């Protein structure tokens, strides 16, 4: 049984005395809090947090992580509150403990495969500080090591959860050593018989192979040393679970899998990796199609190595991995390598900085290697998630973008739920629909028959599904809007004849409606708004002989129709020139389409001036709402990964990209064409300014037709 004093020497080897004392203090606090509680093994409960801290100390984690490890079950098991921990040990440690507790509280239960991945992502998303995950992994590691004494049902559940959730998380973070232990222990607990059989076979085979393994190893090492390479050659064995998975997925017998001899060659530099590869390939014949260069193209979690398969003596296949010591450390410890080998950083945000550093390292590797968009996607989800994960009341998990609200959630559940939602409960408490959701919350939507989407929802929905549904619904609610617009258009036309709808004699109006087969004035106005009747001609017809002397059109133009952006179906925005609030605009009354808003200087509008009776003077209303598409052209140096940077930068400004395409100008330069949604010219200017600060971007211009 480990004691705090035994841990002390490890702590002192890399922490300063004050930090060591903090960790000890946390231990004594936990000891007191858990006083009287026992583990199933009969040991005092505090041995568990102590062991968890021990695992993290071996990884050289900082003192706050160790303190959190000591205290990680205190909130959950002893009813001591987060604030009490905060008072004793500071807010950071309290946050860490709270984070670990929240993960512990999550009941993963048995999962479908699809849900398992969401759970992994959610666990990561919930941890604001990556150390929460590392403490949780250490906690789980110790629980797995001591799983033997639990009742089988519970042990199976924990084992399943470890295989489904925690092993993949360790893998995402590049922590292979931890992942393999999770897998082997999870496998042994879940399938004890199979594990025992494979283990026995493995021991047996090891005995038989020993001689040949050593012979090959020696031959490889000697050859390489003779050629002047500084190398370390080690024999490699697959772990239980990977053997099992291979047997299962490739339907191979144990002996077939064990027929492979595997070695790892550790060298001093990247350059040597390739030279050693050359030497090895001249020693034994390489198997075609088996060579993989994970140095040039690293795996998504940062794994780097050269892989090749050789045909050895007597036709025995030999698997070889070649990598530098650094790559080896990354392969084993992943994100934790940054604590283990660079443990000088004392900054307050050390952990976040390290996590970022890790991601940054991966990013750079990946950018050198290409296919960065896809890669950024996977890393982002891992550590700096743009997604949140929300439970339905029935326990289903939905993935939503960061900033999503209950309205987005409602539409994600079902369009009908979205259209009729009136309120929501977040974690059983009534909350405003506009409240941004957070990972791990359970959201329940309250609906009412006859309820309708509200235009204001546009202000706090982020998903395309919600927005297009709201828009779609509102489209069908635009009769009022179109009548109002038709009224404004007709009134304005009447003004041109020094009249107005109010001044028009009622009998004349009714005669006209009857003659034209309209039941209601609204029907006529609707037709006008839709562009099916021209306002000027209608005005003339209404006024009859009174309209003999139209006054100058310029007078009407002095009172342009104001566009608010909420006119809905009846007003659309030209795709040729993409007008946005702030631009001078003019409208064209198009058949069946209503008013199409163009920029005043749009070339297409110039062509339409021949039909000048269809032109409508417009201006933007002072309280214009909504987001408008706009096209940008970016001229940049042709570099890999830079498009991803642009996309990320725009996303980080909370701006939606509608379309993105590229057009290679020549070898050196490329054009990126973007369609974005912006609020107005000021907003656009700000975005363009930010884009110009990106490296390699030479020019950002708004597209004019
Ligand atoms: Mn625990």
């Amino acid at each position: 049984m480990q004691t705090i004093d035994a841990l002390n020497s490890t702590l002192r080897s890399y922490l300063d005395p004050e930090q060591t004392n903090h960790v000890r203090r946390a231990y004594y606090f936990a000891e007191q809090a858990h006083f009287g509680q026992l583990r199933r093994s009969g040991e005092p409960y505090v041995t568990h947090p102590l062991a968890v801290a021990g695992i993290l100390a071996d990884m050289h984690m900082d003192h706050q992580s160790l303190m959190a490890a000591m205290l990680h079950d205190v909130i959950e098991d002893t009813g001591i509150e987060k604030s009490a921990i905060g008072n004793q040990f500071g807010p950071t440690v309290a946050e860490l403990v709270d984070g670990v507790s929240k993960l512990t509280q999550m009941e993963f239960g048995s999962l479908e495969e699809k849900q398992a991945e969401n759970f992994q992502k959610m666990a990561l998303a919930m941890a604001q500080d990556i150390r929460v995950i590392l403490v949780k992994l250490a906690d789980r590691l110790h629980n797995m090591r001591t799983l033997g004494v639990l009742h089988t049902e519970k042990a199976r559940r924990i084992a399943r959860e470890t295989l489904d959730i925690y092993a993949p998380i360790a893998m995402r973070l590049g922590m292979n050593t931890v992942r393999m232990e999770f897998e082997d222990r999870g496998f042994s607990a879940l399938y004890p018989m199979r594990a025992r059989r494979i283990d026995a076979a493995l021991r047996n085979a090891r005995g038989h192979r020993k001689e040949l393994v050593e012979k090959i190893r020696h031959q490889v090492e000697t050859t390489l040393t003779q050629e002047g390479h500084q190398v370390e050659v080690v024999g490699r064995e697959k772990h239980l679970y990977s053997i099992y998975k291979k047997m299962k997925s490739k339907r191979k017998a144990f002996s077939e899998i064990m027929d492979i001899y595997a070695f790892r060659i550790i060298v001093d530099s990247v350059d040597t990796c390739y030279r050693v590869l050359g030497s090895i390939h001249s020693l034994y014949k390489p198997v075609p199609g088996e060579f993989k260069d994970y140095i040039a193209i690293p795996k998504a979690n940062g794994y780097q190595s050269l892989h090749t398969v050789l045909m050895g003596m007597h036709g025995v296949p030999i698997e070889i991995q070649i990598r530098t010591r650094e790559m080896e450390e990354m392969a084993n410890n992943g994100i934790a390598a940054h604590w283990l080998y660079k443990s000088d950083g004392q900054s307050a945000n050390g952990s976040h900085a390290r996590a970022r550093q890790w991601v940054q390292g991966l990013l750079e590797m990946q950018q050198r290697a290409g296919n960065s968009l896809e890669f950024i996607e996977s890393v982002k989800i891992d550590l700096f998630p743009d997604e949140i994960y929300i439970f339905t009341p029935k326990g289903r998990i939905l993935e939503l973008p960061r900033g999503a609200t209950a309205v987005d959630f409602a539409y994600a559940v079902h369009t009908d739920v979205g259209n009729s939602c009136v309120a929501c409960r977040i974690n059983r408490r009534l909350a405003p629909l506009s409240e941004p959701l957070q990972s791990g919350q359970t959201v329940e939507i309250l609906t009412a028959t006859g309820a309708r989407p509200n235009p204001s929802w546009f202000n706090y929905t982020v998903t395309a599904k919600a927005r297009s549904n709201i828009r779609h619904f509102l489209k069908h609610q635009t009769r009022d809007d179109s009548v109002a617009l038709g009224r404004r258009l007709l009134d304005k036309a009447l003004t041109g004849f020094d009249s107005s709808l109010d001044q028009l004699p009622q009998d004349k109006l009714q005669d006209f409606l009857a003659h034209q087969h309209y039941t209601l004035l609204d029907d006529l106005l609707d037709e006008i708004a839709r562009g099916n009747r021209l306002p000027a001609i209608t005005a003339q017809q209404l006024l009859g002989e009174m309209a003999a002397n139209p006054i100058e059109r310029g007078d009407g133009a002095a009172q342009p129709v104001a566009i608010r952006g909420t006119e809905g179906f009846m007003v659309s925005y030209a795709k040729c020139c993409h007008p946005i609030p702030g631009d001078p605009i003019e409208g064209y009354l198009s058949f069946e389409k209503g008013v199409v808003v163009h920029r005043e200087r749009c070339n297409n509008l110039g062509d339409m001036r021949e039909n000048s009776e269809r032109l409508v003077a417009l201006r933007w209303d002072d309280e214009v709402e909504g987001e408008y598409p706009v096209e940008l052209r970016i001229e940049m140096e042709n570099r890999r990964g830079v498009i991803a940077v642009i996309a990320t930068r725009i996303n980080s400004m909370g701006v939606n990209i509608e379309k993105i395409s590229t057009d290679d100008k020549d070898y050196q330069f490329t054009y990126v064409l973007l369609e974005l949604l912006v609020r107005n010219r000021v907003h656009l200017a700000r975005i363009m300014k930010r884009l110009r600060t990106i490296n390699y971007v030479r020019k950002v211009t708004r597209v004019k037709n």
Side-chain angles (χ1 to χ4, degrees):
M1 196 172 86
Q2 213 178 0
T3 63
I4 183 67
D5 292 317
L7 185 62
N8 236 4
S9 62
T10 316
L11 297 184
R12 275 200 304 254
S13 72
Y14 75 98
L15 294 178
D16 65 35
E18 198 191 336
Q19 293 170 335
T20 307
N21 274 337
H22 285 314
V23 179
R24 288 182 70 101
R25 218 158 48 79
Y27 168 80
Y28 291 119
F29 187 94
E31 188 181 46
Q32 208 157 52
H34 291 294
F35 184 79
Q37 295 176 348
L38 298 177
R39 296 210 95 205
R40 265 165 221 267
S41 61
E43 295 171 302
Y45 193 88
V46 74
T47 55
H48 165 63
L50 179 63
V52 174
I55 291 169
L56 293 169
D58 289 336
M59 291 156 75
H60 285 199
M61 292 293 295
D62 65 317
H63 69 288
Q64 289 176 325
S65 307
L66 299 190
M67 291 162 77
M70 293 294 190
L71 302 165
H72 80 268
D73 280 331
V74 161
I75 293 182
E76 179 82 357
D77 289 354
T78 74
I80 285 173
E81 291 197 5
K82 178 183 169 187
S83 58
I85 294 176
N87 290 340
Q88 277 286 323
F89 302 103
T92 310
V93 174
E95 282 302 331
L96 290 174
V97 174
D98 190 47
V100 178
S101 304
K102 282 194 177 132
L103 283 180
T104 307
Q105 280 163 11
M106 273 182 12
E107 270 288 333
F108 293 108
S110 71
L111 305 165
E112 297 166 43
E113 215 164 300
K114 208 174 70 198
Q115 292 276 285
E117 196 182 330
N118 277 339
F119 264 111
Q120 295 157 26
K121 290 178 184 171
M122 178 159 68
L124 286 162
M126 279 173 68
Q128 303 283 333
D129 187 325
I130 192 67
R131 290 177 295 181
V132 167
I133 292 289
L134 297 180
V135 174
K136 185 65 205 169
L137 291 180
D139 173 39
R140 178 49 59 105
L141 197 57
H142 184 245
N143 284 336
M144 288 304 289
R145 284 176 185 173
T146 52
L147 197 58
V149 290
L150 282 180
H151 299 301
T152 27
E153 205 35 57
K154 191 173 179 194
R156 287 178 61 84
R157 186 181 66 74
I158 291 179
R160 166 85 15 242
E161 195 180 273
T162 301
L163 287 178
D164 285 346
I165 311 291
Y166 290 103
I169 287 179
M171 180 146 92
R172 274 166 189 265
L173 297 177
M175 301 168 70
N176 249 327
T177 312
V178 172
R179 172 184 65 99
M180 289 193 294
E181 190 172 341
F182 277 153
E183 289 185 344
D184 279 353
R185 291 187 184 279
F187 173 53
S188 304
L190 217 49
Y191 306 108
M193 291 296 284
R194 294 175 221 190
R196 232 172 292 146
R197 224 174 297 140
I198 293 177
D199 190 44
L202 195 59
R203 281 168 205 278
N204 193 1
R206 212 178 280 152
H208 294 308
R209 289 157 42 105
K210 210 170 166 189
E211 211 173 302
L212 188 52
V213 167
E214 182 47 34
K215 202 164 154 191
I216 301 173
R217 199 199 68 79
H218 183 74
Q219 195 171 17
V220 169
E221 195 171 60
T222 318
T223 310
L224 293 176
T225 315
Q226 274 168 0
E227 292 188 15
H229 300 305
Q230 283 255 329
V231 298
E232 185 190 329
V233 182
V234 288
R236 213 157 50 74
E237 235 172 40
K238 292 201 179 338
H239 66 297
L240 286 188
Y241 189 59
S242 76
I243 294 173
Y244 172 68
K245 270 200 307 198
K246 248 200 175 141
M247 287 170 68
K248 226 179 128 182
S249 69
K250 300 203 170 161
R251 302 187 163 280
K252 281 188 173 174
F254 177 80
S255 60
E256 285 176 87
I257 290 164
M258 289 311 287
D259 248 359
I260 296 166
Y261 291 79
F263 297 88
R264 181 169 304 146
I265 305 177
I266 313 283
V267 305
D268 54 357
S269 72
V270 175
D271 194 49
T272 316
C273 289
Y274 291 99
R275 282 190 287 125
V276 162
L277 179 77
S279 306
I280 282 285
H281 278 182
S282 57
L283 177 64
Y284 299 117
K285 208 170 152 48
V287 177
E290 293 287 343
F291 170 65
K292 291 193 187 77
D293 186 346
Y294 292 119
I295 293 181
I297 303 174
K299 288 191 185 177
N301 62 8
Y303 176 86
Q304 284 190 295
S305 190
L306 298 179
H307 288 190
T308 187
V309 178
L310 310 167
M311 212 36 100
M313 329 160 237
H314 321 300
V316 200
I318 305 171
E319 275 182 16
I320 303 267
Q321 299 177 343
I322 307 168
R323 57 177 81 149
T324 65
R325 186 151 302 283
E326 253 193 337
M327 292 173 193
E328 167 83 350
E329 278 152 11
M330 259 311 255
N332 292 335
N333 302 305
I335 195 168
H338 284 277
W339 273 274
L340 196 45
Y341 299 100
K342 293 166 190 161
S343 56
D344 52 333
Q346 298 292 327
S347 69
N349 281 322
S351 68
H352 212 64
R354 280 190 176 97
R356 274 196 185 283
Q357 205 179 0
W358 181 69
V359 172
Q360 196 54 41
L362 299 192
L363 267 179
E364 279 163 18
M365 269 194 265
Q366 212 68 21
Q367 271 173 13
R368 282 199 303 269
N371 72 334
S372 43
L373 259 183
E374 179 193 345
F375 174 72
I376 287 177
E377 215 40 55
S378 82
V379 172
K380 222 171 44 185
I381 290 168
D382 284 357
L383 286 181
F384 308 109
D386 283 340
E387 285 79 26
I388 54 172
Y389 300 88
I390 306 296
F391 286 104
T392 68
K394 285 185 182 160
R396 193 154 72 94
I397 302 175
L398 296 180
E399 179 184 318
L400 293 167
R402 179 168 290 260
T405 57
V407 178
D408 290 299
F409 175 84
Y411 277 104
V413 171
H414 197 279
T415 306
D416 292 343
V417 177
N419 281 337
S420 58
C421 84
V422 287
C424 68
R425 286 203 188 91
I426 299 177
N427 289 344
R428 300 225 181 94
R429 151 191 74 81
L430 273 173
L433 285 172
S434 59
E435 188 171 305
L437 301 176
Q438 287 181 359
S439 277
Q441 287 176 331
T442 301
V443 177
E444 183 190 346
I445 297 296
L446 308 177
T447 58
T449 39
R452 292 168 170 197
N454 186 323
S456 74
W457 290 354
F458 271 117
N459 300 330
Y460 49 79
T461 43
V462 294
T463 55
K465 184 167 184 202
R467 294 181 77 83
S468 69
N469 268 309
I470 297 166
R471 210 175 281 139
H472 179 79
F473 190 89
L474 293 177
K475 259 186 203 175
H476 295 277
Q477 299 293 311
T478 47
R479 164 88 176 174
D480 288 354
D481 290 338
S482 80
V483 169
L485 181 68
R487 182 180 297 275
R488 284 158 80 192
L489 290 172
L490 182 58
D491 227 13
K492 192 190 138 259
L494 287 167
T495 323
F497 299 103
D498 209 17
S499 179
S500 75
L501 262 176
D502 291 342
Q503 289 171 31
L504 218 58
Q506 272 301 311
D507 52 339
K508 217 164 194 171
L509 181 60
Q510 292 308 328
D511 282 354
F512 178 78
L513 290 177
H515 187 248
Q516 300 280 331
H517 307 292
Y518 290 115
T519 334
L520 298 167
L521 173 61
D522 282 2
D523 297 336
L524 170 66
L525 298 176
D526 181 62
E527 282 281 279
I528 290 173
R530 286 177 191 280
N532 298 343
R533 296 192 70 95
L534 294 177
I537 292 171
T538 311
Q540 237 162 347
Q541 291 170 333
L542 271 168
L543 295 167
E545 68 283 3
M546 284 158 54
N549 301 311
I551 53 171
E552 283 298 297
R553 187 183 171 269
D555 192 44
Q559 298 157 334
V561 178
I563 296 295
R564 290 193 71 135
T566 50
E567 287 81 1
F569 197 40
M570 285 309 112
V571 171
S572 59
Y573 303 90
K575 292 193 167 51
C576 47
C577 53
H578 289 301
I580 59 173
D583 290 334
I585 47 171
E586 197 166 353
Y588 184 80
L589 195 52
S590 177
F591 185 67
E592 265 304 332
K593 276 162 78 184
V595 173
V596 181
V597 182
H598 287 263
R599 289 165 76 182
E600 205 175 72
R601 287 211 198 95
C602 175
N603 293 338
N604 289 345
L605 200 59
D607 297 341
M608 294 168 195
R609 285 190 199 280
E610 286 157 21
N611 275 325
S612 66
E613 73 275 16
R614 284 191 172 265
L615 290 176
V616 187
L618 299 177
R619 66 175 176 85
W620 295 102
D621 194 276
D622 292 339
E623 292 180 20
V624 61
E625 291 175 23
E627 290 189 316
Y628 300 82
V630 66
E631 273 190 305
L632 291 183
R633 183 202 302 265
I634 302 176
E635 185 184 328
M636 59 200 314
E637 285 177 43
N638 208 345
R639 304 254 175 168
R640 264 186 180 147
V642 76
I643 290 171
V645 176
I646 288 179
T648 319
R649 180 75 62 96
I650 290 171
N651 266 327
S652 74
M653 289 185 276
V655 176
N656 288 323
I657 303 175
E658 297 282 282
K659 277 182 214 151
I660 185 164
S661 63
T662 58
D663 182 10
D664 283 342
K665 193 177 171 192
D666 53 42
Y667 179 71
Q668 204 184 353
F669 295 106
T670 186
Y671 280 131
V672 179
L673 270 176
L674 285 174
E675 191 179 313
L676 308 174
L677 291 180
V678 301
R679 289 190 296 278
N680 51 43
R681 281 173 75 108
V682 178
H683 188 204
L684 175 65
R686 212 173 332 135
I687 293 164
M688 290 171 71
K689 203 170 149 195
R690 286 284 297 274
L691 289 175
R692 288 193 183 105
T693 64
I694 297 175
N695 270 346
Y696 309 122
V697 165
R698 288 165 46 99
K699 217 168 159 188
V700 181
T701 45
R702 180 174 173 195
V703 177
K704 303 190 180 93
N705 69 328

